[in-house]
Amino acid sequence: MRVYDVEYVREGGDCFLRCYIDKDGGVTIEDCEAVSRLLSDALDAADFIPEAYTLEVSSPGLGRTLTKDRHFAQSIGEEVEGTLFRPMAEKGPKAFSGILRSFTADTVTLEEEDGSEIVLERKNIAKIRLAIDF
């Protein structure tokens, strides 16, 4: 089992510490329970978050968000979708989708449906995740 991502967010008046876990073959509810117990005990002992919060442990899901280089590396060849902070000059819309072909520290390259490539600046990507195909 491995930690996929961690986020600490405030929603409304409540704080949440979210830990997303992953493993080969998929994550079960029992995995989430076990990790939640271990994390809860360790966090209580360390007591480094001064305010009240809710700990949530879950799988990153099918439409997992790509935030780290290892997420991008594991997703090469997969269909992704997302939004930009600013529209691209020649395209206009903020939404994008395509097959993830490559990435660098500064860019993400996608193959669009028509076979053309589009290079996005990572600093302009608000959110990118695996596309869910129903």
Side-chain angles (χ1 to χ4, degrees):
M1 200 156 349
R2 59 196 163 269
V3 174
Y4 183 83
D5 207 355
V6 176
E7 66 180 2
Y8 186 73
V9 297
R10 183 180 303 276
E11 294 176 357
D14 299 320
C15 294
F16 296 88
L17 177 60
R18 294 189 176 121
C19 180
Y20 300 98
I21 58 174
D22 201 10
K23 75 173 186 181
D24 297 337
V27 174
T28 66
I29 190 73
E30 290 80 15
D31 296 329
C32 293
E33 289 175 15
V35 170
S36 180
R37 283 191 193 101
L38 290 170
L39 271 179
S40 182
D41 291 345
L43 289 166
D44 286 347
D47 198 28
F48 66 92
I49 301 175
E51 56 199 354
Y53 63 92
T54 300
L55 173 64
E56 295 178 351
V57 177
S58 69
S59 160
L62 295 175
R64 57 191 62 199
T65 302
L66 309 179
T67 58
K68 297 175 177 27
D69 284 350
R70 64 185 163 87
H71 300 159
F72 285 95
Q74 293 168 346
S75 302
I76 297 292
E78 299 288 332
E79 186 174 354
V80 296
E81 62 188 11
T83 56
L84 302 170
F85 288 115
R86 297 178 316 280
M88 293 177 288
E90 65 266 0
K91 297 275 183 178
K94 287 185 177 182
F96 63 85
S97 64
I99 304 298
L100 178 61
R101 291 297 175 210
S102 64
F103 69 96
T104 68
D106 300 317
T107 64
V108 172
T109 302
L110 305 179
E111 180 182 327
E112 295 186 297
E113 200 171 290
D114 64 5
S116 63
E117 281 195 347
I118 182 169
V119 179
L120 305 171
E121 292 183 50
R122 279 179 80 164
K123 67 182 179 184
N124 190 30
I125 298 174
K127 185 172 191 173
I128 184 170
R129 65 182 183 174
L130 293 181
I132 301 173
D133 188 22
F134 290 101

